[in-house]
């Protein structure tokens, strides 16, 4: 007599393993939330690693910008797709501004510092365009695609060539 099928047992084991993993992660974060490491592919980013102590102020500012950006991008949907888009994209663009400012503050490569200056200027203009586009009772800056493109000029990539509608970085 079989009480439970293999599929039933397999699903329960997976569910239990997932629950244990989430509980362990929650417990670890509750113990010391400042010592978290974020892994993106093969690149590990950790703002608290000792072997990069001279880079610590930059890593700390960048980590703060990333955490704020990610938290602020989580919104409660309003039912207005355009407003929801802007509510998510403004923190995304502000995160780019904050990270570029960290490069300006700590970076040494003049080419990257010029790029960071352009990122700050362009992202701030795009934030204004998005906010104006959904503002109540005010004329919209982004009424047409042509007006949007005119309000936010194209950036140049690091090598100085024009990027088509975005940031191109040549090697």
């Amino acid at each position: 007599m079989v009480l439970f099928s293999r599929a039933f047992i397999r699903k329960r084991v997976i569910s239990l393993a997932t629950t244990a993993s989430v509980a362990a992660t929650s417990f670890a974060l509750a113990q010391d939330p400042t010592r978290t490491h974020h892994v993106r592919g093969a690149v590990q980013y950790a703002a608290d690693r000792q072997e990069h102590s001279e880079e610590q102020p930059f890593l700390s500012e960048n980590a703060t910008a990333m955490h704020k950006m990610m938290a602020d991008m989580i919104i409660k949907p309003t039912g207005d797709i355009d407003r929801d888009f802007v509510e998510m994209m403004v923190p995304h663009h502000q995160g780019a501004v904050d990270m570029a400012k960290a490069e300006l503050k700590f970076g040494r490569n003049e080419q990257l510092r010029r790029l960071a200056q352009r990122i700050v200027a362009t992202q701030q203009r795009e934030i204004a365009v998005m906010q104006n586009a959904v503002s109540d009772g005010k004329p919209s800056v982004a009424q047409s695609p042509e007006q949007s493109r005119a309000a936010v000029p194209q950036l140049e990539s690091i090598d100085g060539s024009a990027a088509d509608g975005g940031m191109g970085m040549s090697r």
Side-chain angles (χ1 to χ4, degrees):
M1 172 196 276
V2 177
L3 294 176
F4 301 108
S5 69
R6 284 185 179 184
F8 177 83
I9 293 172
R10 188 177 315 126
K11 288 178 185 176
R12 295 306 166 251
V13 168
I14 291 170
S15 176
L16 180 61
T18 302
T19 301
S21 175
V22 169
T25 302
S26 298
F27 181 72
L29 288 173
Q31 293 300 311
D32 190 3
T34 62
R35 299 235 358 128
T36 60
H37 296 273
H38 301 281
V39 178
R40 302 282 190 258
V43 178
Q44 182 181 29
Y45 176 79
D48 58 352
R49 292 180 49 176
Q50 294 302 317
E51 64 265 25
H52 297 290
S53 60
E54 73 284 349
E55 194 178 13
Q56 181 61 36
F58 168 76
L59 293 175
S60 180
E61 264 189 49
N62 204 44
T64 299
M66 289 289 290
H67 291 300
K68 181 176 181 351
M69 176 186 71
M70 295 305 289
D72 291 349
M73 285 174 53
I74 299 170
I75 65 159
K76 180 178 179 186
T78 64
D80 182 337
I81 292 169
D82 297 324
R83 285 189 187 282
D84 292 349
F85 172 75
V86 169
E87 287 299 313
M88 289 183 281
M89 287 302 292
V90 166
H92 182 264
H93 281 49
Q94 186 60 51
V97 168
D98 295 341
M99 288 182 272
K101 285 181 177 180
E103 169 63 21
L104 289 170
K105 188 174 180 181
F106 300 106
R108 296 184 188 105
N109 182 307
E110 282 306 312
Q111 212 172 12
L112 292 176
R113 290 175 52 75
R114 284 191 304 273
L115 174 64
Q117 289 171 334
R118 288 193 303 266
I119 289 170
V120 169
T122 302
Q123 296 297 307
Q124 287 176 335
R125 281 192 302 268
E126 288 182 359
I127 288 170
V129 168
M130 286 186 285
Q131 289 173 331
N132 286 337
V134 295
S135 64
D136 293 327
K138 297 178 185 170
S140 176
V141 173
Q143 292 175 355
S144 72
E146 292 77 25
Q147 288 173 328
S148 293
R149 281 192 287 277
V152 182
Q154 291 181 349
L155 290 178
E156 292 181 6
S157 65
I158 290 176
D159 68 356
S161 62
D164 187 25
M167 299 278 311
M169 292 181 62
S170 300
R171 290 186 181 220

